[in-house]
Every structure is written in structure tokens, then in C-alpha cells.
Amino acid sequence: MNFMEKRVVVTGLGVLSCIGNDVKSFWDNLVRGVCGIDYITEFPTEDLAVKIGGMVRDFNPEEYGMDKPFVRKQDPFTIYAMASAWQAMRDSGLVSGGNIVPNRLGTYVGSGIGGFTTIQRELKKFFEDQSGQWVSPNFVPTMISDMAGGQIAIKYGAQGSCIDIVTACATSTHSIGEAFRAIRHGYADAIIAGGSDRCTIPIGIAGFANAKALSHATDPQYASLPFNANRSGFVMADGSAILILEEMEHAKARGAHIYAEVVGYGSTCDAYHATAPRPDATTQADCIRLALEEAGFDATRDKVYINAHGTGTLLNDVAETQAYKLAMGDFAYQCHISSTKSMHGHMFGATGAVEAIATVLALQEGVIPPTVHLDTPDPACDLDYTPNTAVRADVNLGLSDSFGFGGHNACLAFRKYQD
């Protein structure tokens, strides 16, 4: 095994979200500023405090390589992950036992919650009849959060490490970052990396709303408002996203399309509060700084896009703005920044991977997606947050950061690919 540092690239993408069930639709809608947040119609909301969300709609699992018996036995978070993995693996052209050795292909797919729908359903059965006789024998293997990664590994013969990282909103950013390190240091040739969650269900809404985290806006098109003075909380959304990370020489040898190079990763902890970010932003800034240092950031030559965590909560957006300034000084004012959560909502364990895909495509296409509905910028959030309309920009370095409950911070750095 060769432990010399290797270059790592992105060779496959897959996404499932409220603004698109494939990468092309997702990206086209981001660039056009389409907001996918809407009224929830999948279950009754009359008695719930929040009635809007970013739901996956017009989705048929059979179109993504799954049959009906498989779908019946799985929680939605696993089904969503399988759909994104199917897209990403087809996009990459990787075939275990064909152009990659099975034990050199890994799976790093996380979930912030896991089988939330299954938990809600089976607990209802249990409390209605506490004998437990009606609880499904598939309850545990369906709800545990490592099952998405496990099922993906089974389908694609990925016999390398299969790891489920759970760090709330930072889950899939950490998954991609740790996959990057594993390939960089020779432990794998390619890794299926990302995250999936289906949290927009009654118990999820109740829990997050009672924690004072959710927006109570009644207009779905004016609810997810990152960096806006009118913001009042985040909007829950569902979906999944997968990136295929691959050792560069391995990818080149098989003629794979390379979207971007992964060049940096930072990870820190606020060690401050269960849900609130550290207000002085020092630990968040350290996380960003670590990714920039590993990426070889040079203020004289780099043109930077940042896909912000940008949740639209009162505390996060101010602390995040401060973190950019601490990490980069005055250069922060030169960066193109946006929060795509303004369009796809907060996808919890999937959100970091969705935003990593947006970052990679911004580098490849030279287009900065907007922060929509940013009509009243918070004076404390005074950086260029790309209000309302996408802009063209020849950026060569992209950052995607995530800050999760529990103080978990993660930041990825990508470069426009050059051989």
C-alpha cells in the first residue's frame, strides 16, 4: 500500500432534491433561482406549527434501479440515497470488479437522523400495543443510519471501508472530507461519498419547531431567507446527494470525466453549545482556514466561490459572516458567496453533499448560483451573498462549509481541474 499523498478528483454526481431529481435539473433550477419550497401535502399539517418544506416530488424509485420488493422494505432515506448513488455511479462509469478492484472502492454515506419515517411508524405501533408483537422485524435494520451506505455497498460491490458519519447538518461534508483523506493517503482508489435524510415528517417538524429552529413563515416562497434581515429560521427539506471521489491517476487511466479536484478539508468543534454556533466564530473560522491552507490558497491569484451554510437562522448567518472575515481578512469581501438553501432548503444530513455538488458545478460552469429573496440584507451580513440573480464568474477555488448541531464544523475546498 502506497501512503504517499495522492491527488483526489470528483468523477460522478447524483442528487435528489425539491428542485430536481437529477443533477441537470438541480443545477438548471439553481442557476434560474427556482425555489422548491412549498406547502406540505404528503400528510395532514392542520395541527402542526409548520406547514411548509422542501419535499422530494415526482420521484419513482424504479427509475433509479430499484424494484418494488426492495423499496417496500426500506426507509425513504435509504431509497433516496440509492437513487443518488445510482446516478453518481452511472455518471462515473466505475464498475466494481471491472475497472476498480472491489476492496479499493469504499462507501462513506451518512445520515443526520437515519430511518426517521420508520421510527415514527414503528413507535406508533408499539405504543398502541405495548406487547411489541406488531413491531416490524425489519425495524432495526431499516432505521439505523448506516443502512443507506450498507445498501449502496451491497448494490455496487464496494468492499472497501463502509463508514456512516453522523454530525447533524455537517454529516455529508464530513463524509466527503474523510473520503478525501482516505484516498489521498492511499486507503482507497475511489469512494462513494455523501448523505441522505428524510426529516420532513410530523415528528421531525414538531421536534425542530419546538427547538425554535424552524421558520414559521406561511409563504413558502419567502421562508428560507439566508442573510436576510427578515429571516426567522431554516426550512426543512428532504433528499440526498452523492459524489464519487477518485484517485486522479486511477480516473485518468480509465478516461473518466473529471469535474473538479478536491484540495482541502477542515474539521473543528465549537465546544460551546448543543444547538447555537459559537458567537465569536473562532472555531468556525479555524475550520475554514484549515481547508484553505491545505488547498494552497493564494489571495493574489485565487478567485473564490463559497457555498455558505447559510441556514437563515438569526445566529448562524451572523457568526458565519464573521467566520469568513476571521479566516480570510479583507479578502472575504472579494469572494462570491451564496446560500443555495434559499432554494432547496435545509436537507440536514444531505445538505453538505448537495452544496458540494453546487460548488463543483459553479467551478466547472463559471456561474455563481444566487441567494434568492435576499431583498433586505442584514447589515451584519455585509459580504457579497449574490442576491437574487446568478452571476458569471471565472472562479478557480470553491469552498463549501457546514456547521451542525453539537458544534460540528466542516469545510471542503475544490479547485477547477487542471491536469
Side-chain angles (χ1 to χ4, degrees):
M1 188 178 289
N2 186 349
F3 290 96
M4 293 178 62
E5 289 194 348
K6 300 172 182 291
R7 292 173 69 181
V8 181
V9 295
V10 179
T11 59
L13 304 174
V15 68
L16 194 68
S17 74
C18 66
I19 58 168
N21 294 341
D22 58 76
V23 173
K24 184 181 186 304
S25 300
F26 170 76
W27 177 247
D28 288 348
N29 283 325
L30 280 187
V31 171
R32 292 191 297 119
V34 174
C35 178
I37 296 161
D38 206 341
Y39 296 106
I40 297 168
T41 58
E42 284 73 8
F43 50 84
T45 60
E46 290 83 359
D47 297 328
L48 294 174
V50 172
K51 307 178 193 306
I52 61 173
M55 311 296 288
V56 172
R57 287 176 169 148
D58 301 319
F59 168 59
N60 179 0
E62 293 179 64
E63 295 176 1
Y64 301 83
M66 290 172 269
D67 60 27
K68 285 185 174 69
F70 176 85
V71 171
R72 280 197 299 270
K73 294 178 181 177
Q74 304 304 320
D75 188 89
F77 94 101
T78 295
I79 296 167
Y80 289 175
M82 294 291 286
S84 288
W86 181 86
Q87 295 174 53
M89 286 296 284
R90 283 168 60 94
D91 188 28
S92 74
L94 278 174
V95 178
S96 178
N99 54 16
I100 187 167
V101 177
N103 66 7
R104 300 290 294 171
L105 175 62
T107 311
Y108 285 40
V109 176
S111 177
I113 301 291
F116 218 177
T117 300
T118 299
I119 292 168
Q120 177 179 263
R121 182 187 66 238
E122 298 303 320
L123 282 178
K124 183 174 184 293
K125 290 181 188 177
F126 179 78
F127 287 120
E128 288 174 349
D129 177 2
Q130 294 192 24
S131 70
Q133 64 177 322
W134 302 112
V135 171
S136 171
N138 291 320
F139 173 42
V140 173
T142 303
M143 68 89 176
I144 50 179
S145 65
D146 68 341
M147 195 48 63
Q151 290 290 356
I152 289 168
I154 291 167
K155 182 173 180 65
Y156 296 104
Q159 297 177 11
S161 291
C162 185
I163 295 175
D164 167 31
I165 292 172
V166 182
T167 50
C169 317
T171 290
S172 50
T173 304
H174 276 126
S175 297
I176 297 164
E178 295 300 325
F180 160 65
R181 284 184 175 168
I183 298 170
R184 187 175 180 85
H185 296 294
Y187 292 98
D189 291 329
I191 294 178
I192 305 163
S196 180
D197 259 315
R198 202 287 178 89
C199 298
T200 312
I201 61 174
I203 189 65
I205 291 173
F208 281 107
N210 290 349
K212 310 300 182 185
L214 296 186
S215 168
H216 286 246
T218 56
D219 179 358
Q221 290 293 301
Y222 198 76
S224 184
L225 303 174
F227 308 110
N228 192 319
N230 297 320
R231 69 190 183 279
S232 60
F234 69 78
V235 176
M236 289 180 63
D238 301 330
S240 60
I242 297 291
L243 293 80
I244 307 301
L245 272 56
E246 190 169 353
E247 193 272 320
M248 186 182 73
E249 296 303 326
H250 189 278
K252 287 168 60 179
R254 65 183 190 84
H257 170 71
I258 294 175
Y259 285 94
E261 183 174 1
V262 192
V263 291
Y265 169 49
S267 179
T268 64
C269 183
D270 286 350
Y272 169 74
H273 189 273
T275 57
R278 181 175 283 274
D280 65 10
T282 53
T283 48
Q284 301 97 310
D286 284 343
C287 177
I288 295 164
R289 192 179 295 115
L290 286 168
L292 286 169
E293 288 175 354
E294 189 171 16
F297 168 66
D298 183 342
T300 65
R301 67 179 177 86
D302 283 327
K303 297 178 181 179
V304 177
Y305 166 60
I306 304 172
N307 189 297
H309 188 51
T311 58
T313 61
L314 295 174
L315 297 178
N316 174 87
D317 294 2
V318 173
E320 187 168 7
T321 301
Q322 179 66 7
Y324 295 142
K325 295 175 183 178
L326 289 174
M328 292 180 280
D330 289 342
F331 186 85
Y333 288 92
Q334 300 179 39
C335 296
H336 295 276
I337 311 171
S338 64
S339 173
T340 52
K341 284 187 180 72
S342 60
M343 292 173 275
H344 57 65
H346 194 341
M347 296 166 64
F348 210 54
T351 206
V354 163
E355 290 157 14
I357 289 175
T359 305
V360 164
L361 292 175
L363 289 173
Q364 179 177 268
E365 303 298 325
V367 177
I368 309 301
T371 305
V372 301
H373 306 131
L374 185 49
D375 55 0
T376 311
D378 184 339
C381 304
D382 60 347
L383 301 177
D384 179 4
Y385 286 112
T386 319
N388 306 314
T389 305
V391 299
R392 290 202 166 273
D394 186 20
V395 288
N396 66 329
L397 180 62
L399 300 181
S400 180
D401 59 66
S402 301
F403 309 135
F405 282 3
H408 304 287
N409 305 316
C411 183
L412 298 165
F414 301 90
R415 278 201 181 276
K416 195 170 185 177
Y417 176 68
Q418 292 182 323
D419 193 351

